[in-house]
Amino acid sequence: MSDIIHLPENLSGVHIHFVGIKGTGMAALVEILFHNGAIITGSDVSERFYTDEILEKLGLKALPFSEKNITDDIQYVVYSSAYKPETNPDLKEAFKRGIPCLLYTQALGSYSSRAYSCGICGVHGKTTTTGITGTILKNIKNLPCQILAGSIINSFGKTCTYTSPDVQNKKFSPDFKITNAPFNSVFVAETCEYQRHFMSFFPQKILLTSVESDHQDYYPTYEDIRDAFVDYICKLPEHGDLIYCADDKGAVEAALLAYNKRPDINLVPYGENAGSEYKLKFGKVEDEKNKFSMEIFENKELYLKVPGMHDVRDACGAVALVCQILRYFGKHPFDYAEDILNGLKEFSGGKRRSEITGHFTSKNGNDVIVIDDYGHHPTAVKTTLEGYRDFYKGRKIIVDFMSHTYSRTQGLLQEFAQSTQSADVIILNKIYSSARENASDFNITGKTLYEETVKYNSKDKVFYYEEATDALDFVTKLIEEPLSKDYPDGYILVTMGAGDNWKLGSKLIEEYNK
């Protein structure tokens, strides 16, 4: 273990160069380290991404890749796994000079080792759960904390991270004094299962939302990905909390397998099947709010302003994690009930997570909402669309879904074919590939998914356009049709997936804002 590189404990004045600085995780880590006093530079491609805005708020600008970026005063280099030391000029020069270089996951793990760190993981719901957790913690005064999510969270001020004022000012309240040296703050981060990246993290608590087959290019079987989660859980310290969703079969299985290996782990279930203080009771959807209750707050009414029962479940997990953090400090969660309720009320989603990107009136006077969502696993697609169906009862739902990776589409073809049934109109596109795979290795295309989807829906409900933007005229015609008595409130266009089909929504909004 001696060859593991760690960032210094005191980051003030330490110059760190980020290669691939515009990546979502990279930009988020930049924010965290910047607020700890580090000097930051970075390089990336010239194409503009939403993370450019995050960097600009910090007074940073990405440089073009070049060996000249590696100056004498750079002490560490952090790089995205998308770039290789053999080919990237910044990394070539850094390795040549012997500058310590860390992958993003290693740097995140290194930072987590000096805080009371809580890792949020799962095949679905990581980003939303992290965003809700951070929004609640933001409402608890004087709690020294930092949060890192995998996307922009609106309630963080449209950034990926939140850093409490006491961490920025290094003035800690005695009310939340951490007694277990060397920790001086709470750090909550979204941690990723792909290629076992989360194994670099040092968790004191883990929140597990779900375990299902995914990332088939790396985990060929369900057991492969399940065992990765088990190994991560086993990184918990003695008597560490595993907060897991009791409503998710895979999460329950992973929790029990980990407990068999480590019976000292404290299992903390949440959800409808929890049978504990974190038992969830769904209420109703009213006034575009999801209302629910939890036993720990004596069934007091809680609510979220975002659609979907899956998000309510994520909120339940976030509340459970916050309550367990409060108990670590010797606090009673009920004393912070109002802060927790206020955090839930404040949460309004994040970028590409049921994000409303446009709202306009069609030429025929129809009300139209455009939503973009990152859901790219069949379970996420299904539950998200079911949530919209429940939340927006009076609106006709048009979904444009672009599947991501050939390996995932092939491995979960039947599940994908059935995942969009809650929509009224289904538009499918080509498969959005990954640099990690070669399309010629697979006997599947976007048309294959279309053909399978038709089997579970009426044929006049399912349509295929190779490129998402090719469907612009078709969608424009649809939203101009007179409203029916079933859907008197208007239309919703949902662009869903990890690909670039969000461009369809953008073009539609552009057309109507001319």
Side-chain angles (χ1 to χ4, degrees):
M1 300 292 284
S2 58
D3 59 342
I4 294 177
I5 301 170
H6 279 284
L7 296 172
E9 287 193 18
N10 184 359
L11 290 163
S12 184
V14 176
H15 189 163
I16 306 172
H17 182 74
F18 282 75
V19 178
I21 195 170
K22 294 185 184 185
T24 301
M26 293 280 278
L29 186 59
V30 163
E31 286 188 276
I32 292 286
L33 302 187
F34 180 89
H35 289 306
N36 278 269
I39 297 167
I40 306 291
T41 55
S43 55
D44 214 314
V45 295
S46 59
E47 184 182 351
R48 188 170 179 84
F49 296 96
Y50 71 85
T51 50
D52 279 290
E53 293 179 25
I54 295 172
L55 299 173
E56 285 162 5
K57 285 180 183 177
L58 303 176
L60 303 174
K61 184 175 176 60
L63 302 166
F65 294 125
S66 169
E67 67 277 0
K68 294 177 181 177
N69 295 332
I70 308 302
T71 56
D72 292 340
D73 57 342
I74 290 174
Q75 294 160 273
Y76 293 87
V77 171
V78 175
Y79 64 102
S80 162
S81 59
Y83 301 102
K84 307 300 177 190
E86 300 81 17
T87 55
N88 181 272
D90 298 52
L91 291 175
K92 273 186 182 179
E93 182 66 19
F95 274 84
K96 179 180 169 184
R97 291 181 178 226
I99 297 171
C101 296
L102 299 84
L103 276 165
Y104 160 75
T105 49
Q106 294 170 330
L108 177 64
S110 174
Y111 185 79
S112 73
S113 68
R114 85 272 315 269
Y116 190 84
S117 295
C118 305
I120 295 178
C121 65
V123 172
H124 319 295
K126 293 186 290 289
T127 302
T128 298
T129 306
T130 306
I132 297 172
T133 302
T135 309
I136 295 171
L137 291 175
K138 183 169 169 266
N139 278 269
I140 297 174
K141 301 295 182 286
N142 302 320
L143 174 62
C145 65
Q146 289 191 290
I147 321 296
L148 184 152
S151 184
I152 284 177
I153 303 297
N154 296 334
S155 48
F156 290 179
K158 297 202 172 178
T159 68
C160 302
T161 68
Y162 169 72
T163 300
S164 63
D166 36 17
V167 170
Q168 289 193 48
N169 301 328
K170 295 183 170 53
K171 293 180 180 178
F172 302 114
S173 165
D175 292 342
F176 286 100
K177 182 174 173 57
I178 295 185
T179 56
N180 295 30
F183 306 131
N184 64 2
S185 67
V186 172
F187 179 46
V188 178
E190 177 178 336
T191 56
C192 180
E193 72 277 6
Y194 184 63
Q195 294 184 340
R196 290 178 166 245
H197 284 158
F198 50 24
M199 294 303 288
S200 298
F201 200 76
F202 290 83
Q204 300 297 315
K205 298 185 191 302
I206 288 175
L207 192 160
L208 174 60
T209 64
S210 54
V211 179
E212 280 192 64
S213 183
D214 197 13
H215 305 297
Q216 284 76 10
D217 59 324
Y218 189 79
Y219 300 114
T221 69
Y222 162 74
E223 288 75 20
D224 292 329
I225 195 169
R226 179 202 64 195
D227 291 348
F229 281 102
V230 171
D231 290 346
Y232 180 43
I233 294 165
C234 288
K235 289 199 72 177
L236 283 167
E238 189 175 6
H239 306 302
D241 287 343
L242 170 64
I243 301 155
Y244 68 97
C245 182
D247 302 337
D248 185 87
K249 182 181 176 183
V252 171
E253 184 181 6
L256 294 177
L257 288 170
Y259 185 75
N260 287 337
K261 290 185 174 186
R262 288 276 311 278
D264 63 288
I265 290 173
N266 182 31
L267 296 182
V268 183
Y270 69 89
E272 285 185 286
N273 296 311
S276 70
E277 60 187 347
Y278 300 127
K279 182 176 179 62
L280 168 66
K281 291 182 182 176
F282 288 116
K284 57 185 176 180
V285 178
E286 190 175 65
D287 301 325
E288 296 192 350
K289 294 185 182 75
N290 267 315
K291 298 183 177 179
F292 63 101
S293 63
M294 293 173 65
E295 285 198 4
I296 190 171
F297 296 123
E298 299 175 351
N299 295 321
K300 181 180 284 195
E301 186 175 79
L302 315 174
Y303 74 79
L304 275 182
K305 294 186 291 187
V306 293
M309 292 300 106
H310 59 296
D311 283 341
V312 172
R313 213 171 257 113
D314 291 341
C316 181
V319 170
L321 175 57
V322 169
C323 289
Q324 293 301 109
I325 290 171
L326 288 169
R327 284 179 167 144
Y328 169 75
F329 288 102
K331 307 293 183 183
H332 196 295
F334 197 82
D335 295 337
Y336 294 85
E338 287 306 311
D339 296 325
I340 291 169
L341 266 63
N342 287 337
L344 292 171
K345 291 174 185 176
E346 186 184 327
F347 181 75
S348 59
K351 191 163 188 67
R352 303 218 67 199
R353 269 68 180 180
S354 293
E355 179 189 10
I356 295 177
T357 56
H359 194 173
F360 59 84
T361 303
S362 76
K363 291 171 184 174
N364 283 346
N366 299 332
D367 193 71
V368 182
I369 296 174
V370 180
I371 296 176
D372 184 45
D373 190 84
Y374 191 66
H376 55 280
H377 185 282
T379 301
V381 174
K382 182 176 185 293
T383 56
T384 301
L385 289 174
E386 287 173 349
Y388 297 157
R389 178 76 289 149
D390 197 35
F391 208 69
Y392 298 107
K393 288 185 174 68
R395 292 179 181 271
K396 189 169 188 175
I397 298 174
I398 306 162
V399 65
D400 182 282
F401 176 66
M402 178 178 280
S403 188
H404 180 45
T405 80
Y406 286 85
S407 54
R408 180 185 286 119
T409 310
Q410 184 166 289
L412 301 172
L413 180 61
Q414 294 308 311
E415 291 88 342
F416 273 120
Q418 298 172 70
S419 66
T420 49
Q421 288 176 286
S422 291
D424 300 291
V425 178
I426 302 165
I427 303 167
L428 298 171
N429 312 132
K430 68 180 183 184
I431 295 172
Y432 188 77
S433 188
S434 162
R436 302 187 299 265
E437 61 185 14
N438 189 338
S440 62
D441 294 336
F442 299 90
N443 296 316
I444 193 170
T445 66
K447 280 277 183 72
T448 314
L449 177 56
Y450 164 77
E451 289 161 3
E452 290 302 310
T453 303
V454 167
K455 294 177 183 178
Y456 298 97
N457 298 272
S458 58
K459 194 163 186 178
D460 59 354
K461 177 180 173 179
V462 188
F463 302 87
Y464 184 82
Y465 289 87
E466 183 78 3
E467 299 290 343
T469 51
D470 292 344
L472 180 61
D473 289 345
F474 173 69
V475 173
T476 302
K477 184 179 177 184
L478 275 178
I479 64 172
E480 292 295 351
E481 289 179 358
L483 300 175
S484 68
K485 62 178 182 180
D486 294 327
Y487 302 121
D489 296 342
Y491 293 87
I492 293 177
L493 169 67
V494 183
T495 53
M496 182 169 278
D500 62 0
N501 57 326
W502 54 267
K503 292 176 180 177
L504 172 61
S506 292
K507 280 194 169 293
L508 188 71
I509 294 164
E510 187 182 317
E511 285 293 315
Y512 280 90
N513 285 336
K514 281 182 178 177

